[in-house]
Amino acid sequence: MKKLLTVTLLFAIAIVNAQEFSYGLVLGNSFYTIANNNGTNAMTTNDYSTITFGGYGEYNLTNTIGIKADILFAKNSFAYYSTKQPFDMNIISVAPNLKYDFGEVYREGFYMLIGPKLSFITSVESEGEDVKDSFETFNFGAQLGFGYRVLKYVDLQTKLDYDLSPFFKLDNGIKSSFFGAVVSANIDLAKLFSN
């Protein structure tokens, strides 16, 4: 086990030190609302936005194409439409996106992103009670976004996302899912620490 851990650690250090790999912090805001199928309101949004934070890793495969994956944490608040019962949901999302960079040098200009989003609901509370069992704890979605390197170490980025699977489903077939956008600043720690 120690040998496997040592090899894994050496491999991780080698990747981090490679020029093609970058990593950093993500700080931003998630703007969201709820899509209810059949045009019926099962859930409604309270705040429409929440602070979002996390980290990212990026690897460029060519001079224009790379993989940029992020792990983000957000807390969404919403209410059951008919009774106005409030819910607070903590969500961790993982998004491995394909990145196309339009700049002459990778990571120094405008880029676009597309890919899946995997969401894991870690907790749901309503009026002080744990009600996580009433919700789907794993959700699958899609993202489309763009960004631009505005400073030497900072990208401004926007990603539109839509959950393809519902987080809440009533017995009558009505399903509720999130859609919205994440607007963030991505701070390139690999470049910051390499200088």
Side-chain angles (χ1 to χ4, degrees):
M1 183 68 180
K2 288 182 181 179
K3 288 182 182 179
L4 178 61
L5 183 59
T6 303
V7 169
T8 304
L9 183 61
L10 291 174
F11 181 70
I13 290 170
I15 288 176
V16 167
N17 287 329
Q19 283 187 332
E20 296 86 8
F21 186 77
S22 179
Y23 58 91
L25 297 175
V26 179
L27 305 170
N29 207 341
S30 176
F31 301 90
Y32 64 95
T33 190
I34 295 175
N36 297 286
N37 71 335
N38 299 334
T40 305
N41 285 336
M43 298 285 183
T44 185
T45 311
N46 283 339
D47 296 333
Y48 298 102
S49 72
T50 186
I51 293 172
T52 302
F53 61 91
Y56 77 90
E58 180 178 354
Y59 186 81
N60 54 303
L61 304 168
T62 69
N63 290 334
T64 56
I65 296 174
I67 302 292
K68 186 173 185 179
D70 57 35
I71 298 174
L72 301 178
F73 173 81
K75 182 176 186 176
N76 290 2
S77 296
F78 54 94
Y80 186 65
Y81 185 74
S82 60
T83 63
K84 304 299 183 196
Q85 180 181 0
F87 294 92
D88 291 314
M89 179 182 286
N90 291 323
I91 302 171
I92 294 175
S93 62
V94 179
N97 292 160
L98 182 65
K99 176 182 173 183
Y100 186 84
D101 198 307
F102 292 91
E104 291 182 17
V105 178
Y106 193 85
R107 290 190 199 96
E108 291 189 11
F110 178 77
Y111 60 88
M112 293 189 71
L113 303 160
I114 189 169
K117 182 184 82 166
L118 310 172
S119 298
F120 303 92
I121 297 171
T122 59
S123 68
V124 185
E125 287 189 6
S126 178
E127 299 170 339
E129 291 185 34
D130 181 3
V131 292
K132 182 178 165 187
D133 293 340
S134 300
F135 294 85
E136 301 290 337
T137 56
F138 171 76
N139 293 281
F140 182 76
Q143 292 187 323
L144 175 66
F146 58 91
Y148 189 78
R149 177 70 48 117
V150 292
L151 299 170
K152 192 171 184 180
Y153 311 114
V154 180
D155 293 346
L156 290 183
Q157 180 177 285
T158 300
K159 291 200 292 187
L160 305 174
D161 62 44
Y162 182 75
D163 285 346
L164 301 171
S165 61
F167 69 86
F168 184 74
K169 183 165 40 176
L170 294 173
D171 292 339
N172 61 7
I174 296 174
K175 302 172 187 175
S176 299
S177 57
F178 290 111
F179 73 93
V182 178
V183 178
S184 63
N186 296 326
I187 302 164
D188 189 343
L189 296 179
K191 190 163 189 174
L192 180 66
F193 294 145
S194 68
N195 291 336

